[in-house]
Each structure stands twice: as C-alpha cells, then as structure tokens.
Amino acid sequence: MRFNRMLLSTTLVIVALVVQVTVLARLQLPGAVPDLMLLTVLGLAFVYGNTSGALIGFGAGLLADLAPPADHAAGRYALVLCVIGYLAGLAKPETGQLRSATAPMVAVVVAAIGSTLLYAGVGALVGDTAARHVGIVNLLLTSALYDLLLAPFVVPVVMWLARRADNDPLADSQSGNNGADVASGWLASGTGLRVGSQRAGLRVKAARSRAARAGRIKGVKRL
C-alpha cells in the first residue's frame, strides 16, 4: 500500500473507532451496535481492492480488539474484518466508482449479516456464548438495519476521500510522464482548467510575439 493510502486508511479507521466507542456504543439501542468500523472498511475496499481491503480490515479489527472496553479475545474481530474487506474488495468496479446505490446497499446488508455470523462462529469456537443469550436472530436483524441506515452517510464519503487521496500527485512515487499526467489530472480536477490547453495557448502567444518582433525588426531595416 502506498503512503497516502495508509495515512488515509489509518485516519479514517481511528476516527470511526473513536465515534463508535464514544457515541454509537452509548446509544443503548436494542440488539446490535451500528458498526461504523465495518462501513469504513467496506468503503475503502470498494476503491482499493481485495488485497488492500483485507489489510485494512485486519488492522481495523485488531485496533478494535485492543481498544477498551473490548471484552473478547484479541484477533477475533480482526479476522472478521479481514475476511469482509477481502470479499468487498473483489466487488471493486474497474473505475473505482459505483454506478448505482443498489450494489453497495446489498453489500452492506450481506457484510453486516456475514460479520455477525462469523463473529459469533469464532466466539463459539473459543467458548464465548454471549450471542446465544442475546439471540442471534435479533443480532442479525438489528445489525443489518442499523448498518443499512448509517451506510448512505458513511460509505460514499469514505469512497470519495479514498479516490481523492489516491490521485494526490504529492503522494505518488512515480516519475516522468506518469507523474506529469497525475499532476495534470489533479490540477484539472481541482481548478476546472485544462493544463494542456493552457500550454497550447501560451505557445501560440509566444509564436505571435516572435512574429511581431520579427516584423518590427524588418520594418526598421527597410527604413
């Protein structure tokens, strides 16, 4: 992963974790808690692909495992988000932009249900039976509902930030023509002006200036 991707992903994951622990977890909603970390990983995986999605998911899950007030074994949620990030990255469109809202909404519901089932399954393997006392059906329904309601406010913003950071010429390690193309694209998207057109215009003006100077010089010699 490039530096700009790592920096943006780390920042978004930390912000999502802080909001989830300090705000969402204290709402005391019935059933599950809205999973802002899951939505953040989904948004990044939709843009960066399966490999980056798996790495980001693992890092985000491990951070959530270690952050208080976590009461489960470390690595449990990391495994869940790693799998979710990888699978979501497989659905990455070629252009990095989703054409409709239907596909991401379906992906959010599937990810919410899948992460809950996987989390409960891993917990059952290590002897954690908390999901049985709460009710797995209730957890599945509420997690899918809460994440679906929160997704329109999170996933598009995360994807937009990921695309903008990925096109940053200052963070691009390439050189030569590729670097010039990225810089031109960044200036064009940021100002609405076309660098190529500006260069062509400057060349025409310079040619006209040289022609005018040559005409004046010839006129002087004739006199």
Side-chain angles (χ1 to χ4, degrees), residues 55-160:
L55 293 175
I56 294 171
F58 180 81
L62 186 61
L63 187 62
D65 287 333
L66 300 177
D71 56 353
H72 54 268
R76 181 176 170 185
Y77 197 49
L79 174 62
V80 173
L81 287 187
C82 180
V83 174
I84 295 298
Y86 179 82
L87 295 178
L90 294 177
K92 171 191 173 183
E94 295 181 357
T95 60
Q97 297 181 353
L98 298 172
R99 296 181 180 180
S100 65
T102 303
M105 293 298 102
V106 172
V108 167
V109 174
V110 174
I113 295 175
S115 62
T116 303
L117 289 174
L118 185 57
Y119 185 83
V122 175
L125 293 176
V126 298
D128 186 358
T129 59
R132 297 179 181 177
H133 300 288
V134 178
I136 188 64
V137 176
N138 185 30
L139 287 177
L140 291 176
L141 294 177
T142 53
S143 61
L145 176 62
Y146 297 154
D147 291 348
L148 187 61
L149 293 176
L150 189 61
F153 305 99
V154 178
V155 176
V157 176
V158 171
M159 293 182 65
W160 180 80

Side-chain angles (χ1 to χ4, degrees), residues 112 170 194:
L170 297 178
R194 294 183 178 180

